[in-house]
Amino acid sequence: MEPKKNPKANLERYRIVLMLVGLCLAGAFTTLALERVTVENEPYVAPVAQDSADDLEPEYEEEEPPEEPPEEEEPPPPPEEPPPPVDPPATDTEEADNDEDVTNTNVVLDAPTPPPPPPPPPPPKAKIYDFPSQEATFPGGMEGMYKFLYSKITYPKMARNAGIQGRVFVEFVVDENGQVKNVKLLKGIGGGCDEQAINAVKALPKWTPAEQAGTKVQQRFKLPVKFELE
């Protein structure tokens, strides 16, 4: 036969209430325990007497302010320079003496140097005659002159290949000493013929100079030099 439970002895209905009471008690004990631990951990501070506290204060020595350097005295200003002495005005007697000294002094002035004389005029250019009373002559005559010229001339290869031929006109002067000078080309044909003719004329030997009224003079010549292919 099963035993029957007394409904008054059944504690299941107070289960929730008992759990809440237990939680409240546990929280209270925990709070008390934490407060005690905090109090025990605070450091112990011993009381200090008033006199000993005053002894512990540090003593500070009063520092004296640095002495200021003495002010330098300004040097006295330099004394003023005395005014220059003033000469007394000259008297009439002194002026008369000075005039006599100036009058008696002999002043010698250098005479001005004359300007240099002008340079002498250049000598007049010797006149060049085209037809003097006695013409200049080449040793051996004109035939000898042309023979000499052609002995000095070589027909240029360029002119020969190009078929160039003709006359080259050269001008020159025979001076009072019979020397040939002032050689220049009047008319050329090119191909190297002009250079050959000029060089041949420059190589001419000394001539007999021309004369005018018994005086040796210069004479101008215009000479044709012929270039002809065979």
Side-chain angles (χ1 to χ4, degrees):
M1 180 178 178
E2 295 180 0
K4 292 183 180 182
K5 294 181 180 181
N6 189 358
K8 292 181 178 182
N10 188 7
L11 300 178
E12 287 293 332
R13 58 183 177 176
Y14 300 110
R15 182 179 178 183
I16 297 174
V17 176
L18 293 174
M19 288 180 64
L20 292 175
V21 172
L23 289 174
C24 290
L25 292 174
F29 283 117
T30 303
T31 302
L32 291 173
L34 291 174
E35 288 179 358
R36 185 173 180 178
V37 171
T38 304
V39 172
E40 290 178 355
N41 290 335
E42 289 182 358
Y44 174 76
V45 179
V48 180
Q50 184 66 26
D51 297 337
S52 62
D54 295 337
D55 295 339
L56 293 176
E57 291 182 359
E59 296 181 359
Y60 297 97
E61 296 181 357
E62 294 183 359
E63 295 182 358
E64 296 181 358
E67 295 182 0
E68 296 182 357
E71 296 182 358
E72 295 182 359
E73 296 182 359
E74 296 182 358
E80 295 182 358
E81 296 182 358
V86 179
D87 296 333
T91 60
D92 296 339
T93 306
E94 292 178 354
E95 290 180 358
D97 293 340
N98 293 334
D99 294 340
E100 290 178 0
D101 294 340
V102 173
T103 305
N104 294 331
T105 303
N106 294 327
V107 179
V108 180
L109 299 176
D110 295 335
T113 56
K125 292 183 179 180
K127 183 179 179 181
I128 300 176
Y129 292 84
D130 290 321
F131 304 100
S133 58
Q134 185 176 345
E135 294 186 350
T137 56
F138 184 82
M142 297 301 292
E143 184 178 353
M145 183 193 66
Y146 276 107
K147 186 177 181 180
F148 177 86
L149 287 176
Y150 286 117
S151 67
K152 299 293 182 180
I153 292 176
T154 302
Y155 210 110
K157 186 176 181 181
M158 182 187 304
R160 187 182 297 276
N161 295 336
I164 297 174
Q165 57 183 353
R167 292 183 179 182
V168 177
F169 289 87
V170 181
E171 179 182 284
F172 63 95
V173 175
V174 177
D175 63 9
E176 300 92 335
N177 299 319
Q179 301 292 336
V180 175
K181 65 178 185 179
N182 299 342
V183 181
K184 63 180 181 180
L185 178 69
L186 295 179
K187 182 180 178 182
I189 59 176
C193 299
D194 306 339
E195 291 78 6
Q196 288 288 329
I198 290 174
N199 293 334
V201 171
K202 288 181 178 180
L204 288 172
K206 189 175 180 180
W207 291 44
T208 300
E211 292 185 9
Q212 179 71 24
T215 303
K216 295 180 180 180
V217 296
Q218 301 183 99
Q219 183 179 357
R220 181 185 295 110
F221 287 89
K222 297 178 181 178
L223 184 69
V225 181
K226 187 177 181 181
F227 288 84
E228 185 177 5
L229 293 173
E230 296 180 356

